[in-house]
Amino acid sequence: MGAAIGQSLPVAVGVLVSPLPIVAVVLMLVTPRAKANALSFLLGWLVGIYVLGAIVVLVAGAATPSDDKPGWVAWVKIVLGLLLLFVAFRQWSGRPKGDAEPPTPKWMSAIDTFKPPAAFGLAVLLGAVNPKNLLLVVSGAAAISAAAPGDTGTQLGALAVFTVVAALGVAAPIVVYLAMGSRAAKILDELKTWMIHNNAVIMAILLLVIGFKMIGDGITAI
């Protein structure tokens, strides 16, 4: 399990610092249903990432005999790495120039009206359906599958660790809110503003680093 966790941990950190989910939680923490919505979002984030990762792990396990070195997984890693580099380029190209403000996603303006089920659903969409996060989670699950071929229990255990690490970024604002109460408003607002403005740059750098890592791992395994 140690090898599987070690291989997937850098990708989990990439999911951890994804700006938009953190911004979503911060926005929920200033709504009338702050605690209920934020905790529902955290639960949806955990469920979305784990279920998607489990599907990838189980499909990879079913396709790969336990006594076989899954060489095809190496090619999957290379393809995923190239896709991550492509998305990184798109993110960098679309970053706001100078003092220009980035466009605000439409769902952000609707968060004030959210109830816990909507917060849960948004988390699943951002964690498991959003293309950038989907690529990262699939990359992490592929790394786990390659590191522990044929051992489903170990893979799912490593995936649980991956999911918890990936959720730390979303959990952090909630912890700040619960610990500081109303005093957290200024800190969270500054964090939200900075992450919205720098979302494209943060994601471009993360995807670039993880993309090269996936390509390197794939080439090594061939």
Side-chain angles (χ1 to χ4, degrees):
M1 185 179 291
I5 293 172
Q7 285 293 312
S8 64
L9 199 57
V11 186
V13 173
V15 180
L16 183 164
V17 296
S18 299
L20 287 185
I22 298 173
V23 170
V25 171
V26 172
L27 290 173
M28 288 176 189
L29 290 172
V30 295
T31 65
R33 301 182 184 90
K35 189 183 296 186
N37 281 348
L39 291 175
S40 294
F41 186 91
L42 176 59
L43 178 61
W45 186 254
L46 290 166
V47 169
I49 290 173
Y50 192 83
V51 170
L52 173 60
I55 290 171
V56 174
V57 164
L58 293 174
V59 169
T64 305
S66 59
D67 58 348
D68 229 359
K69 190 70 175 175
W72 65 272
V73 175
W75 288 104
V76 170
K77 285 185 173 184
I78 292 173
V79 171
L80 288 170
L82 291 171
L83 287 172
L84 288 168
L85 293 183
F86 172 73
V87 178
F89 174 76
R90 291 287 301 273
Q91 287 285 296
W92 183 260
S93 301
R95 73 192 187 282
K97 307 297 192 295
D99 294 328
E101 288 298 319
T104 303
K106 292 181 180 178
W107 54 261
M108 284 189 184
S109 59
I111 282 181
D112 283 348
T113 66
F114 274 19
K115 293 181 180 179
F120 181 94
L122 176 63
V124 172
L125 288 173
L126 289 178
V129 180
N130 177 278
K132 294 185 287 292
N133 248 62
L134 185 146
L135 277 174
L136 288 173
V137 175
V138 170
S139 298
I144 289 171
S145 180
D151 190 344
T152 303
T154 296
Q155 291 172 343
L156 294 178
L159 179 63
V161 175
F162 173 90
T163 303
V164 170
V165 173
L168 292 178
V170 168
I174 301 175
V175 172
V176 172
Y177 174 83
L178 295 175
M180 299 181 64
S182 59
R183 293 174 298 161
K186 186 174 184 296
I187 296 172
L188 294 176
D189 186 63
E190 290 175 352
L191 175 65
K192 176 201 70 176
T193 302
W194 185 85
M195 295 201 101
I196 289 176
H197 189 75
N198 294 283
N199 171 57
V201 174
I202 294 170
M203 287 306 301
I205 294 171
L206 286 174
L207 294 170
L208 185 71
V209 172
I210 295 171
F212 277 121
K213 177 191 181 298
M214 294 296 293
I215 292 171
D217 289 347
I219 292 173
T220 301
I222 292 177

